[in-house]
Amino acid sequence: MSERAAPFYCPYCGDEDLRPNEQGHGAWECAACNRAFQLKFLGLLARGVQRTNNGGGNEI
């Protein structure tokens, strides 16, 4: 896995012109709407992946 995951678009305006921000790890700035934001990975959920069987015939 890469050390830094990059967002695909700005969460405020949806534009794709993003650049890393100087504020630190996970900080990004959008050139289109002139906003800065930070992404943070919180961790994995304790429940994990749940499989459901909806009766469609394609069971995993």
Side-chain angles (χ1 to χ4, degrees):
M1 183 183 331
S2 68
E3 200 171 299
R4 179 192 304 224
F8 295 111
Y9 57 87
C10 174
Y12 297 101
C13 72
D15 199 85
E16 297 177 359
D17 190 8
L18 302 175
R19 297 180 178 101
N21 186 277
E22 297 176 358
Q23 294 298 317
H25 183 71
W28 294 87
E29 57 187 51
C30 176
C33 68
N34 203 31
R35 288 187 170 118
F37 58 93
Q38 188 168 14
L39 302 177
K40 183 177 180 180
F41 177 70
L42 299 177
L44 298 174
L45 300 176
R47 67 176 178 260
V49 177
Q50 298 178 355
R51 295 182 181 184
T52 60
N53 184 2
N54 59 5
N58 293 335
E59 295 183 24
I60 296 176

